[in-house]
mmCIF file of all heavy atoms in Angstrom:
data_model
loop_
_atom_site.group_PDB
_atom_site.id
_atom_site.type_symbol
_atom_site.label_atom_id
_atom_site.label_comp_id
_atom_site.label_asym_id
_atom_site.label_seq_id
_atom_site.Cartn_x
_atom_site.Cartn_y
_atom_site.Cartn_z
ATOM 1 N N VAL B 178 -7.342 4.645 16.875
ATOM 2 C CA VAL B 178 -8.764 4.977 16.820
ATOM 3 C C VAL B 178 -9.112 5.636 15.485
ATOM 4 O O VAL B 178 -10.147 5.333 14.869
ATOM 5 C CB VAL B 178 -9.159 5.905 17.993
ATOM 6 C CG1 VAL B 178 -10.582 6.425 17.833
ATOM 7 C CG2 VAL B 178 -9.009 5.166 19.323
ATOM 8 N N MET B 179 -8.257 6.524 15.009
ATOM 9 C CA MET B 179 -8.494 7.182 13.731
ATOM 10 C C MET B 179 -8.510 6.188 12.580
ATOM 11 O O MET B 179 -9.340 6.270 11.668
ATOM 12 C CB MET B 179 -7.448 8.274 13.492
ATOM 13 C CG MET B 179 -7.605 9.487 14.387
ATOM 14 S SD MET B 179 -6.399 10.788 13.996
ATOM 15 C CE MET B 179 -6.886 11.212 12.320
ATOM 16 N N VAL B 180 -7.587 5.241 12.617
ATOM 17 C CA VAL B 180 -7.530 4.225 11.565
ATOM 18 C C VAL B 180 -8.793 3.363 11.593
ATOM 19 O O VAL B 180 -9.366 3.033 10.546
ATOM 20 C CB VAL B 180 -6.266 3.368 11.683
ATOM 21 C CG1 VAL B 180 -6.358 2.096 10.826
ATOM 22 C CG2 VAL B 180 -5.047 4.176 11.275
ATOM 23 N N ARG B 181 -9.256 3.010 12.787
ATOM 24 C CA ARG B 181 -10.483 2.228 12.886
ATOM 25 C C ARG B 181 -11.679 3.021 12.337
ATOM 26 O O ARG B 181 -12.575 2.453 11.706
ATOM 27 C CB ARG B 181 -10.734 1.826 14.339
ATOM 28 C CG ARG B 181 -9.709 0.882 14.917
ATOM 29 C CD ARG B 181 -9.649 -0.425 14.175
ATOM 30 N NE ARG B 181 -10.802 -1.275 14.490
ATOM 31 C CZ ARG B 181 -11.071 -2.413 13.877
ATOM 32 N NH1 ARG B 181 -10.313 -2.833 12.877
ATOM 33 N NH2 ARG B 181 -12.119 -3.120 14.233
ATOM 34 N N LEU B 182 -11.655 4.336 12.570
ATOM 35 C CA LEU B 182 -12.712 5.180 12.026
ATOM 36 C C LEU B 182 -12.620 5.230 10.505
ATOM 37 O O LEU B 182 -13.650 5.119 9.794
ATOM 38 C CB LEU B 182 -12.596 6.588 12.605
ATOM 39 C CG LEU B 182 -13.648 7.610 12.146
ATOM 40 C CD1 LEU B 182 -15.031 7.212 12.675
ATOM 41 C CD2 LEU B 182 -13.276 8.996 12.640
ATOM 42 N N ILE B 183 -11.410 5.397 9.984
ATOM 43 C CA ILE B 183 -11.199 5.403 8.536
ATOM 44 C C ILE B 183 -11.688 4.094 7.926
ATOM 45 O O ILE B 183 -12.377 4.089 6.903
ATOM 46 C CB ILE B 183 -9.701 5.630 8.210
ATOM 47 C CG1 ILE B 183 -9.304 7.079 8.525
ATOM 48 C CG2 ILE B 183 -9.406 5.309 6.755
ATOM 49 C CD1 ILE B 183 -7.809 7.327 8.511
ATOM 50 N N GLU B 184 -11.345 2.983 8.581
ATOM 51 C CA GLU B 184 -11.783 1.668 8.083
ATOM 52 C C GLU B 184 -13.307 1.575 8.075
ATOM 53 O O GLU B 184 -13.910 1.074 7.113
ATOM 54 C CB GLU B 184 -11.198 0.562 8.962
ATOM 55 C CG GLU B 184 -9.703 0.393 8.834
ATOM 56 C CD GLU B 184 -9.127 -0.543 9.898
ATOM 57 O OE1 GLU B 184 -9.862 -0.888 10.856
ATOM 58 O OE2 GLU B 184 -7.958 -0.915 9.763
ATOM 59 N N SER B 185 -13.930 2.046 9.134
ATOM 60 C CA SER B 185 -15.399 1.942 9.254
ATOM 61 C C SER B 185 -16.102 2.650 8.115
ATOM 62 O O SER B 185 -17.074 2.133 7.548
ATOM 63 C CB SER B 185 -15.859 2.531 10.588
ATOM 64 O OG SER B 185 -15.332 1.801 11.680
ATOM 65 N N TYR B 186 -15.614 3.832 7.747
ATOM 66 C CA TYR B 186 -16.260 4.583 6.677
ATOM 67 C C TYR B 186 -15.842 4.088 5.297
ATOM 68 O O TYR B 186 -16.629 4.158 4.341
ATOM 69 C CB TYR B 186 -15.973 6.079 6.832
ATOM 70 C CG TYR B 186 -16.822 6.704 7.911
ATOM 71 C CD1 TYR B 186 -16.337 6.871 9.203
ATOM 72 C CD2 TYR B 186 -18.142 7.084 7.647
ATOM 73 C CE1 TYR B 186 -17.126 7.420 10.194
ATOM 74 C CE2 TYR B 186 -18.940 7.632 8.642
ATOM 75 C CZ TYR B 186 -18.431 7.801 9.919
ATOM 76 O OH TYR B 186 -19.219 8.336 10.905
ATOM 77 N N THR B 187 -14.636 3.568 5.185
ATOM 78 C CA THR B 187 -14.172 3.065 3.893
ATOM 79 C C THR B 187 -14.901 1.777 3.503
ATOM 80 O O THR B 187 -15.255 1.588 2.340
ATOM 81 C CB THR B 187 -12.658 2.795 3.937
ATOM 82 O OG1 THR B 187 -11.975 4.005 4.284
ATOM 83 C CG2 THR B 187 -12.151 2.314 2.590
ATOM 84 N N TYR B 188 -15.120 0.901 4.489
ATOM 85 C CA TYR B 188 -15.733 -0.399 4.200
ATOM 86 C C TYR B 188 -17.185 -0.456 4.689
ATOM 87 O O TYR B 188 -17.696 -1.516 5.026
ATOM 88 C CB TYR B 188 -14.921 -1.512 4.862
ATOM 89 C CG TYR B 188 -13.422 -1.329 4.717
ATOM 90 C CD1 TYR B 188 -12.576 -1.398 5.828
ATOM 91 C CD2 TYR B 188 -12.855 -1.053 3.485
ATOM 92 C CE1 TYR B 188 -11.211 -1.216 5.695
ATOM 93 C CE2 TYR B 188 -11.493 -0.860 3.346
ATOM 94 C CZ TYR B 188 -10.668 -0.938 4.457
ATOM 95 O OH TYR B 188 -9.331 -0.740 4.314
ATOM 96 N N LEU B 189 -17.843 0.703 4.716
ATOM 97 C CA LEU B 189 -19.202 0.784 5.256
ATOM 98 C C LEU B 189 -20.171 -0.139 4.516
ATOM 99 O O LEU B 189 -21.049 -0.761 5.132
ATOM 100 C CB LEU B 189 -19.704 2.228 5.167
ATOM 101 C CG LEU B 189 -20.967 2.575 5.962
ATOM 102 C CD1 LEU B 189 -20.742 2.369 7.449
ATOM 103 C CD2 LEU B 189 -21.388 4.013 5.678
ATOM 104 N N ASP B 190 -19.999 -0.268 3.210
ATOM 105 C CA ASP B 190 -20.880 -1.119 2.425
ATOM 106 C C ASP B 190 -20.805 -2.573 2.880
ATOM 107 O O ASP B 190 -21.813 -3.273 2.965
ATOM 108 C CB ASP B 190 -20.528 -1.004 0.940
ATOM 109 C CG ASP B 190 -21.449 -1.838 0.079
ATOM 110 O OD1 ASP B 190 -22.659 -1.817 0.304
ATOM 111 O OD2 ASP B 190 -20.953 -2.529 -0.834
ATOM 112 N N LEU B 191 -19.585 -3.031 3.203
ATOM 113 C CA LEU B 191 -19.406 -4.411 3.654
ATOM 114 C C LEU B 191 -19.913 -4.604 5.075
ATOM 115 O O LEU B 191 -20.370 -5.692 5.429
ATOM 116 C CB LEU B 191 -17.927 -4.801 3.582
ATOM 117 C CG LEU B 191 -17.331 -4.966 2.172
ATOM 118 C CD1 LEU B 191 -15.833 -5.152 2.275
ATOM 119 C CD2 LEU B 191 -17.967 -6.137 1.457
ATOM 120 N N ILE B 192 -19.839 -3.550 5.898
ATOM 121 C CA ILE B 192 -20.204 -3.681 7.308
ATOM 122 C C ILE B 192 -21.712 -3.544 7.508
ATOM 123 O O ILE B 192 -22.329 -4.337 8.222
ATOM 124 C CB ILE B 192 -19.458 -2.617 8.143
ATOM 125 C CG1 ILE B 192 -17.935 -2.833 8.049
ATOM 126 C CG2 ILE B 192 -19.904 -2.673 9.609
ATOM 127 C CD1 ILE B 192 -17.111 -1.709 8.633
ATOM 128 N N THR B 193 -22.297 -2.523 6.877
ATOM 129 C CA THR B 193 -23.721 -2.238 7.122
ATOM 130 C C THR B 193 -24.581 -2.288 5.876
ATOM 131 O O THR B 193 -25.810 -2.225 5.966
ATOM 132 C CB THR B 193 -23.887 -0.842 7.760
ATOM 133 O OG1 THR B 193 -23.528 0.152 6.790
ATOM 134 C CG2 THR B 193 -23.016 -0.690 8.988
#
Side-chain angles (χ1 to χ4, degrees):
V178 171
M179 289 183 63
V180 166
R181 294 299 286 172
L182 181 67
I183 289 168
E184 291 170 349
S185 297
Y186 282 96
T187 302
Y188 318 129
L189 193 62
D190 182 44
L191 290 172
I192 298 170
T193 68

